[in-house]
Amino acid sequence: MTLQVYTAVTGATWEAGLVAALDRSAHGITVVRRCVDVAELLAAAATGTGQAALLSAELRRLDGDAVTRLEAAGVAVVGLVEPGDARAADRLRGLGVVHVLPADTDPAAIADALRAAVAGGPSAGRDVADPRAALPAAAPRRPAEDAPPGRGRVVAVWGPGGAPGRTTVAVGLADEAARLGVETLLVDGDVYGGVVAQVLGLLDESPGLAGAVRLAGAGDLDAAALARLAWAVRPQLRVLTGLPRAGRWPELRPRAVARVLEEARRTTDLVVVDCSAPVEEDEELSFDTAAPRRNGVTLTVLEAADTVLCVGGADPVALQRTVRSLGELRDVLPEAEPVLVVNQLRRGPVPGDPRAEIAAALERFAGREVTRFLPADRRATDAALASGRTLAEATPGSPLRTALRSLASDLTGIRAPAARRRRPARRTG
Ligand SMILES: Nc1ncnc2c1ncn2[C@@H]1O[C@H](COP(=O)(O)OP(=O)(O)OP(=O)(O)O)[C@@H](O)[C@H]1O
Ligand SMILES: [Mg+2]
């Protein structure tokens, strides 16, 4: 059976020759439409007459969104670049094009790449609802990262709703890791209303993550651009602030967020992402295949993360929420192995020894061991919030700060220097 292909390589001098060569029956390819721009390509893809698109890096207005929409329409994408143009190839890969070839590749090899792209099925992008994913024999999904991982490690701070303290832990962890000498980037990835900027007292509005995502979507994000967009709180700690208004969530395209994380881990030792709670994917029941997915960002971050911290609260309601959330996470990302952190531990809401009772309950109902307990310490969190500073700055000796420092130490493998003992005051007289 021949493969029906759209081309969108206008402007290139080799376009006509290539189309003619590909169209020869021996390659098993039929060019069903030669599109002049992205708009025409997307319109053609929506008709369902083709299974793949061959496009060039120079195509005007080509961005990550267009690639996502092609894939959502069931059109696999192969990119062509001028021979030797590594930058263009990187840009196409950054937009989510997996198969990229130099334009002087033998037409038979291009035909093979088109077939391979179609056989690969839809990529693991989580930008838009894809009803095909709901089919029982869904096409295999590609792992989130095809690009070689950089040196940095991504820690997603996630957990159930009900404000168990995800942001407090994310900010505290990033700050403490930076204090241990680890170059850290804190990313506010909460699509339901990020507050990291307020917590850190960063009052100037900066484009932050939304700005980085915009550049990534256009294929223009590099280390220098990322550094410009991230606030330097201290030399070791930078922050990509979140959306100033939760209603702007559609701007955060999941695939572009994945690209931001990729760039971040190339240039930073540790990337800590404050995530929203919901992970359900029920938008997949949507009939509008191109509907953006709010939880796609959270899923993308959890998928890309080397470590997923699940922060839960320490009362019966919070425990039940944790158990439910862990179940939902298992459904959507069965391979994730979350590290369980119980925050706001205190006597009162759980009878008996709260630590032992909570550990036993989570073991029994979620099958997970609690890795760390963080104490309820309202005095410390209030002092930090009141001054827009971190716990280490506002209440360096507080129990919560001490616990967060050891959590950072565990995660980074760097031991915190022992606290200096205060000499007893010499008695006089
Ligand atoms: N260990 C703790 N002891 C006392 N208060 C805490 C502790 N951890 C967090 N808090 C407080 O609980 C509130 C909620 O915390 P935080 O904003 O970190 O939660 P969240 O899970 O990020 O919530 P949201 O769903 O709003 O994103 C804040 O006022 C915070 O200061
Ligand atoms: Mg939060």
Side-chain angles (χ1 to χ4, degrees), residues 163-168 190 274 343-344 374-378 381 385 400:
R166 283 171 277 118
T167 301
T168 305
D190 191 334
D274 183 12
N343 186 30
Q344 311 208 30
L374 303 173
D377 191 351
R378 195 79 239 185
T381 54
L385 287 175
L400 181 56

Side-chain angles (χ1 to χ4, degrees), residues 24-186:
R24 262 185 242 132
S25 58
H27 299 314
I29 300 283
T30 304
V31 176
V32 287
R33 186 160 186 131
R34 289 164 72 175
C35 305
V36 296
D37 54 22
V38 169
E40 188 184 353
L41 179 60
L42 288 173
T47 64
T49 49
Q51 296 106 51
L54 186 64
L55 45 81
S56 61
E58 292 79 35
L59 194 62
R60 275 188 57 222
R61 305 240 167 109
L62 178 67
D63 58 11
D65 221 26
V67 175
T68 299
R69 282 169 184 271
L70 286 170
E71 287 182 345
V75 174
V77 179
V78 171
L80 292 179
V81 294
E82 291 290 341
D85 192 347
R87 227 180 118 82
D90 281 350
R91 180 171 172 270
L92 280 184
R93 290 199 189 93
L95 299 182
V97 180
V98 179
H99 300 265
V100 180
L101 300 169
D104 60 356
T105 304
D106 181 46
I110 294 179
D112 285 345
L114 285 162
R115 269 187 289 275
V118 172
S123 72
R126 293 188 176 274
D127 293 50
V128 294
D130 181 354
R132 288 167 301 165
L135 298 175
R141 291 188 155 190
R142 170 170 69 89
E145 297 159 57
D146 271 355
R151 64 187 169 113
R153 174 166 169 209
V154 175
V155 175
V157 182
W158 169 79
R166 283 171 277 118
T167 301
T168 305
V169 172
V171 171
L173 176 63
D175 184 45
E176 297 300 339
R179 282 169 198 278
L180 291 172
V182 178
E183 222 173 276
T184 304
L185 176 71
L186 172 62

Side-chain angles (χ1 to χ4, degrees), residues 332-360:
V332 291
L333 282 181
E335 65 282 4
E337 288 291 341
V339 172
L340 202 47
V341 174
V342 172
N343 186 30
Q344 311 208 30
L345 184 73
R346 60 205 183 274
R347 288 199 175 275
V350 175
D353 174 0
R355 194 181 276 255
E357 295 295 331
I358 290 169

Side-chain angles (χ1 to χ4, degrees), residues 221-242:
L221 185 75
D222 57 16
L226 187 60
R228 267 198 310 278
L229 288 165
W231 271 96
V233 177
R234 291 196 309 281
Q236 303 276 34
L237 178 62
R238 292 182 157 266
V239 179
L240 265 187
T241 53

Side-chain angles (χ1 to χ4, degrees), residues 167-168 171 195-201 203 377-391 393-395:
T167 301
T168 305
V171 171
V195 293
V196 168
Q198 284 92 322
V199 167
L200 286 173
L203 297 178
D377 191 351
R378 195 79 239 185
R379 197 187 60 79
T381 54
D382 278 352
L385 287 175
S387 55
R389 292 183 301 163
T390 62
L391 289 163
E393 290 161 339
T395 55

